[in-house]
Amino acid sequence: MSTYQVVGIGNAIVDVISQADDAFLERMGIGKGIMQLVDQDRGEMLYGAMEDRWQAPGGSVANTLAGLGNLGLSTAFIGRVHDDALGRFYADEMAAGGTDFVNPPVAWGELPTSRSMIFVSPDGERSMNTYLGISSELGPDDVADEVAGQAAILFLEGYLYDKPKGKAAFERAARLCREAGGKAGIALSDPFCVDRHRADFRRLVKDLDYVIGNQHEWESLYQTDLSTALEQAAQDSGLVVCTRSGHDVVLVQGDEEAVVPVREIIPVDATGAGDQFAAGFLYGMATGAPLEQAGRMGCVAAAEVITHFGARPETDLRALFRKQGLIA
């Protein structure tokens, strides 16, 4: 019997969010709509430039776990924070949301807790500037046998491959989970992450049980058009999920294919749309829902999170699922 229905491993990042127009982004040299890694000095400069900022625990996988906690699943997060104000805030908020934060804040070392300065423009696009801090030190020693080895589903983020220690932690967690009979999968994270680690990710598609990515990530992975990329991915992976902004979601598992229509919504803040799609989809996977139904759950969760600021749901997702006839 698995202790946790879903365990995530990823960067533990405090999201610091502010609104900004395109002129501000250009003036500050911020790439619109993408995630950029920044050093400590630039991170402090951008933090100081934020007006009316607010903060929330973030990181891609951690956001997904918050959605799964909202849905009532038992979850745990493998991450690394410093024993500073932001780190204690992060650990406390994860626990308050129902997710076990299994690694206590680190009291030694010089690197502070990671943070991402997120500027939300009027069209809902979010521009993320992430200082990794102590998250860059996440390693295999942070992965406990009794956590990764007792997960029914393990969810990993591609960003971990940006550091050798993160890669080792990722692969240890996946091995422990699968040896114990669980299923391990990955979110491709972003096209630039795919560009940096294409060979590793091509191997992971073949080795893991499921892979979630958007159109640009799949096209980058196979360096071809989407249709050809998904044909190749379906041959390589046990379960392929492809999201496309404003378009149908495609899910392929063996000979089965499901296409889920998406109702287009003008976003208030697109932050977390992919993370919450993953939450809804993994909920369906964890509860044995058919492929098409799991995809619809992902779409409902993603639609909820883009109607407000922040990357985590503010509405009872199970109530939304019931309203859509997805659960009893």
Side-chain angles (χ1 to χ4, degrees):
M1 177 68 71
S2 299
T3 300
Y4 297 107
Q5 288 165 290
V6 182
V7 170
I9 176 170
N11 290 308
I13 300 171
V14 177
D15 287 341
V16 186
I17 306 166
S18 177
Q19 294 176 271
D21 58 22
D22 289 357
F24 176 88
L25 299 181
E26 185 174 351
R27 187 168 68 251
M28 301 299 290
I30 296 169
K32 184 176 179 180
I34 62 173
M35 193 285 287
Q36 294 177 300
L37 295 176
V38 299
D39 62 21
Q40 188 168 2
D41 289 343
R42 179 161 172 79
E44 290 176 354
M45 184 272 288
L46 291 175
Y47 182 84
M50 302 180 91
E51 296 182 359
D52 299 321
R53 59 182 179 248
W54 71 98
Q55 68 187 36
S60 178
V61 164
N63 290 336
T64 296
L65 292 173
L68 290 165
N70 178 292
L71 286 161
L73 296 193
S74 59
T75 58
F77 181 56
I78 300 168
R80 191 173 177 90
V81 298
H82 190 68
D83 188 13
D84 52 19
L86 282 180
R88 292 187 292 273
F89 163 80
Y90 193 98
D92 290 345
E93 287 293 305
M94 289 296 291
T99 293
D100 286 352
F101 191 77
V102 295
N103 301 96
V106 176
W108 60 90
E110 298 180 358
L111 292 176
T113 295
S114 311
R115 71 284 314 265
S116 182
M117 281 60 68
I118 302 174
F119 297 90
V120 182
S121 44
D123 59 1
E125 283 285 353
R126 81 278 193 224
S127 307
M128 304 168 66
N129 301 265
T130 302
Y131 169 59
L132 284 179
I134 199 170
S135 276
S136 63
E137 295 296 310
L138 181 72
D141 290 346
D142 295 306
V143 179
D145 290 26
E146 63 271 20
V147 178
Q150 296 184 26
I153 297 173
L154 181 72
F155 186 47
L156 312 123
E157 65 182 46
Y159 289 130
L160 284 181
Y161 266 68
D162 282 329
K163 296 289 183 179
K165 281 186 176 181
K167 177 179 177 178
F170 180 119
E171 298 193 347
R172 170 173 161 78
R175 176 178 55 79
L176 288 168
C177 172
R178 300 187 81 208
E179 285 178 351
K183 293 182 178 181
I186 183 176
L188 294 175
S189 294
D190 74 30
F192 303 103
C193 186
V194 174
D195 287 342
R196 293 192 295 270
H197 307 293
R198 183 172 290 108
D200 278 328
F201 285 4
R202 289 282 293 269
R203 174 177 56 80
L204 287 171
V205 170
K206 294 180 178 180
D207 290 348
L208 298 179
D209 298 292
Y210 65 93
V211 182
I212 302 173
N214 65 30
Q215 175 178 351
H216 304 299
E217 291 156 4
W218 284 114
E219 289 175 339
S220 173
L221 184 64
Y222 289 101
Q223 297 177 288
T224 186
D225 62 275
L226 181 62
S227 177
T228 305
L230 290 183
E231 286 180 12
Q232 183 62 52
Q235 294 175 22
D236 289 348
S237 177
L239 172 55
V240 171
V241 182
C242 176
T243 61
R244 298 181 293 165
S245 179
H247 295 276
D248 297 344
V249 173
V250 179
L251 307 96
V252 184
Q253 186 170 30
D255 295 332
E256 181 184 1
E257 178 175 320
V259 178
V260 179
V262 173
R263 181 170 59 92
E264 192 165 1
I265 298 172
I266 298 174
V268 173
D269 175 12
T271 309
D275 302 337
Q276 295 312 318
F277 173 87
F281 169 75
L282 290 174
Y283 175 82
M285 187 174 167
T287 56
L291 199 59
E292 190 266 349
Q293 186 176 340
R296 288 178 61 199
M297 289 173 169
C299 292
V300 170
E304 187 281 337
V305 81
I306 66 174
T307 62
H308 56 78
F309 287 105
R312 301 186 173 199
E314 294 182 351
T315 305
D316 181 347
L317 293 179
R318 286 180 59 84
L320 294 180
F321 287 179
R322 279 193 292 271
K323 186 176 180 180
Q324 296 291 327
L326 296 171
I327 60 174

